[in-house]
Amino acid sequence: MTISKMLLSAAGFAMVAGLAQADTSGKRIALSNNYAGNSWRQAMLETFQETGKQAVDDGVVAAADAYTTSENQATEQAAQIQNMILQGYDAIVLNAASPTALNGAVKEACDAGLVVVSFDGIVTEPCAWRIAVDFAAMGKEEVDYLATRLPDGGKLLEIRGLAGVFVDDEISKGIHEGVAEHDQFEIVGSVHGDWAQDVSQKAVAGILPSLPPVVGVVTQGGDGYGAAQAFKAAGRDTPLIVLGNRQDELKWWSEQHEANGYETMSLSIAPGVASLAFWVAQQVLDGADVPKDLTVPFLKITQDNLAEALETTPEGSVANVTYTLDDAKTVISDAK
Amino acid sequence: MTFLSRHRIILPVVSLAVLLAATFYMQPRAMSYFGLNLLFNLAVPIALATIAQMMIIMVNDIDLSLGAFVSLAACVTATFLNDTPMIGLLILLALILSYAVLGALIHALELPAIVVTLGMSFVWSGLALFILSSPGGASPGWLRTLMTVKPPFAPMAVVAAVIIAGVTHLLIIRSGLGTVLRGVGGNARSVERAGWPVIRLKALAYGLAGLFGVLAGMALVGLTTSADANIALRYTLLSIAGVILGGGEFTGGKVSPVGAVIGALTLTLAASFLSFMRLSPDWQIGAQGAILILVLTARLIFSRKGAEA
């Protein structure tokens, strides 16, 4: 009897100890990614692998594996997710090829007891968690910043992204909201730069001759350097261009600052959001109460941290930040 | 070896069995009702698309628009068929009819099918984008129920594959009409001289392809619960590979419905197998191609030996 009592108490102790430690040390997390063909996605995969490896080494999770489909197709990714269920993963961190076409596979995963956390390319299936980007807020923040720098206002040029894409509509909506609020500003021209420096440069060069002097340029990222080159080629004064965290943009800013004290702001979504999604998945597995809809903070670069950001950003890449478990906890508590 | 060349279905069956055994060895979890369904449910629309492609290859043509057509059918299913079932049904019927008309046109004007279908692929893609410019729509409830049904003994994916193979085998291999259809691909002139209206037969073959293309789109939406305009673009090449893998030949008339379904299952399984192997995605497409070449080489060797014997 005493032995069974001892066994019981030992079992009880083991259970308590198990609860006190990370509950997730035996859990396996997989990243399902649909595309790896640009610098942002490459940086995203790298961050996930670094974060995952560290977490495995620390014994927080048992595995953190990254999978990318060989073709950027929803049907392929659906099959990939179903394979992950078979492989016995406990959670899937997902950057989806389509917001809706993966819902069937995601539902299968949820029904099989997996935790699905989608980020960047989010899915609408209600059983999944979403780490979304408030693109409209990003656009509005640009105008808010311009209002602090140029209290007298003036005329603005807007560079948009790829026509017909959700992200482009959202950022532009935010910019126009901002302009409505700060009515000292007026958008006098709008071009599509497709988030690429060369396209932006051509588009801005094309519209510049028809524009009155502009005091600021609002952008969507990946287009600021091209815009600056177009202004220079046209012999115009460089306006206040809001940048988008690309390495060439930051380098140009830094050079301008040294030459003539140019100051601006740069903001975009860090590819490290994959590490945030990883920690959110870990928290859900851990039993934390996590709201289904979370919002990613922007990565903002100002004059104060420009040198540091430029140093850590590889050439041709985009400024990044690796989120930690504490960052994830902050994001979760902010959403409650 | 004459045995193997006479029973061309054996090679596809063996390929599938080997691949399945290797998958089970690597991932024992797949060896269950639930596992088999997960492994194969996305093969059901591919199998239907492969049958559609087989109808075209059967009459000695090739369809490069199938992926776009299946995407369009999926978009119609996720929008019109869900919101206004009658109109949706009419549109789908019109799509099948347009395929039949296309077949008749190709025959009457002696147009190369490869060019016509390549051109049509842009028409289908455009229509799909027009209907669903951004991803969305929803699967009709009954379709979702049908695609997630859990029959006793065998999972939905396996049951569906058997039914598709069985029905098309009866239609193409066993029925008189099917034999004439295969004859059109083998020797259209003889069939014409024997008094058959080849133009109608071609229209029928294309119409059947349209029917199975539409079914593929519907099955896909039933699985994914929604559609986008690019959802099935890969099906064009997958379906051609499936037909050839299943023992069909480009020379026309030599097709096997059962083989085509097995070919589609093999292709789907090959992708999962490579993913289980943790092969880098850069290598996966190449490895899929390698599996295809391996099977085709085996077939060539067997048929050569059969010819020698």
Side-chain angles (χ1 to χ4, degrees), chain A residues 71 76 82-83 86 100-101, chain B residues 29 38 41 224 226 234 272:
Chain A
E71 280 179 79
E76 283 231 299
Q82 296 189 166
N83 286 341
L86 284 177
T100 53
Chain B
R29 250 179 280 241
L38 281 183
N41 65 3
T224 59
S226 78
R234 284 189 73 233
S272 296

Side-chain angles (χ1 to χ4, degrees), chain A residues 28 36 49 64-89 97-105 107-109 111-112 124-125 164, chain B residues 27 29-30 32 34-42 133-137 144 148 220 223-228 230-235 268 271-273 275-278 281-282 284-285 288:
Chain A
R28 298 165 67 227
Q49 270 151 355
D65 305 320
Y67 294 85
T68 302
T69 51
S70 50
E71 280 179 79
N72 183 10
Q73 291 279 324
T75 44
E76 283 231 299
Q77 201 173 15
Q80 186 189 53
I81 292 171
Q82 296 189 166
N83 286 341
M84 285 172 178
I85 306 172
L86 284 177
Q87 284 166 290
Y89 284 103
S98 157
T100 53
L102 294 173
N103 283 355
K107 188 79 178 41
E108 296 265 13
D111 290 348
T124 54
E125 169 58 46
Chain B
Q27 206 55 250
R29 250 179 280 241
S32 63
F34 175 71
L36 276 176
N37 199 37
L38 281 183
L39 216 47
F40 284 122
N41 65 3
L42 284 162
S133 53
S134 61
R144 179 78 186 143
T148 52
L220 188 56
L223 286 171
T224 59
T225 70
S226 78
D228 73 55
N230 300 322
I231 193 163
L233 289 188
R234 284 189 73 233
Y235 283 18
T268 314
S272 296
F273 175 73
S275 165
F276 290 145
M277 272 179 65
R278 309 246 25 214
D282 303 334
Q284 273 183 25
I285 293 185
Q288 261 171 309

Side-chain angles (χ1 to χ4, degrees), chain B residues 56 63 65-66 68-70 72-73 76 89-107 111 116-117 119-121 123-125 127 199 202-214:
Chain B
I56 308 281
D63 186 357
S65 67
L66 194 61
F69 183 75
V70 173
L72 173 58
V76 173
L89 203 62
L90 281 177
I91 296 178
L92 291 177
L93 283 175
L95 284 179
I96 297 172
L97 199 68
S98 62
Y99 240 70
V101 171
L102 215 59
L105 270 178
I106 286 172
H107 180 74
L111 298 167
V116 176
T117 53
M120 286 310 288
S121 74
V123 176
W124 305 135
S125 277
L127 286 174
I199 188 164
K202 268 220 163 168
L204 178 65
Y206 272 78
L208 282 172
L211 171 68
F212 280 99
V214 164

